[in-house]
Amino acid sequence: MIVAEQKSLDEIKKLVGSAQKVLVVGCGTCVTVCFAGGAREAAIVAAELRMSTKLDGSPKEVTDVTVQRQCEWEYLDEIAPKLGQVDIILSLGCGVGVQAIAEHFPSTWVVPGLNTKFMGLPTEQGVWAERCAACGDCILGITGGICPIARCSKSLLNGPCGGMNNGKCEISPDIECAWVKIYQRLEKKGKLDKFEKIHEAKDYSKHTKPGLYEGEKYAKMRNKNK
Ligand code: SF4
Ligand code: SF4
């Protein structure tokens, strides 16, 4: 899932600026799970913004709504009737959600209320860890299901580097060295031959920006309908 954290109220207020009528839009998918931008957080941010701007002596009209997913056009349509009554949208979706709103409603100014951090998973209650950097050329099949791109501090394709210390990364003793974990996993599975191979530089041409993916089945359907 996509993991994000809320911006500070001060930053949000700066982004909202002088706009008077603010619609806070939450997202009911990934950012709900990481407690950054779901319905509950949208209501809290709206209340904080109302109270804080009132205390500043320039109260704003702040309402909130949460859609199931900000990253799909059809879910955004439900906020369309509200747009005539607001000056600005504060999106509590990930960066994709913010851009989906900006593209779908080009005449409405939208600002982000979150910092989108990474794709990760919960490792314990309330803690999420990065697991994939969407490199476009997955090598988990040769690294025992542990991603060195996302989990090694230097995204090394061969490791561990000389800075590894007792299984920890030189960047911080709190970070486990991804390459030690890869070694241990391959050893356990009797696949150390994979570790002994030098992995060549990845084909980063598969990671050019902006990324675009056209699903084969959809392409066939589209061509059929032409
Ligand atoms: S190798 Fe690339 S696609 Fe696979 S998990 Fe790592 S970053 Fe993601
Ligand atoms: S110590 Fe391990 S995780 Fe840290 S940069 Fe070196 S290889 Fe990567």
Side-chain angles (χ1 to χ4, degrees), residues 121-131:
L121 60 79
T123 50
E124 58 187 282
Q125 203 168 19
V127 179
W128 287 266
E130 184 170 10
R131 287 293 182 265

Side-chain angles (χ1 to χ4, degrees), residues 148 151-156 158-165 167-172 175-180:
R151 298 175 67 176
C152 163
S153 302
K154 297 172 191 162
S155 296
L156 295 178
N158 298 280
C161 71
M164 185 273 292
N165 187 11
K168 303 291 183 185
C169 176
E170 67 173 323
I171 298 298
S172 160
I175 300 173
E176 287 185 286
C177 171
W179 273 103
V180 168

Side-chain angles (χ1 to χ4, degrees), residues 119 131-140 147-150 202:
M119 281 186 278
R131 287 293 182 265
C132 175
C135 74
D137 182 21
C138 194
I139 56 166
L140 289 176
C147 174
I149 311 298
K202 277 167 70 60

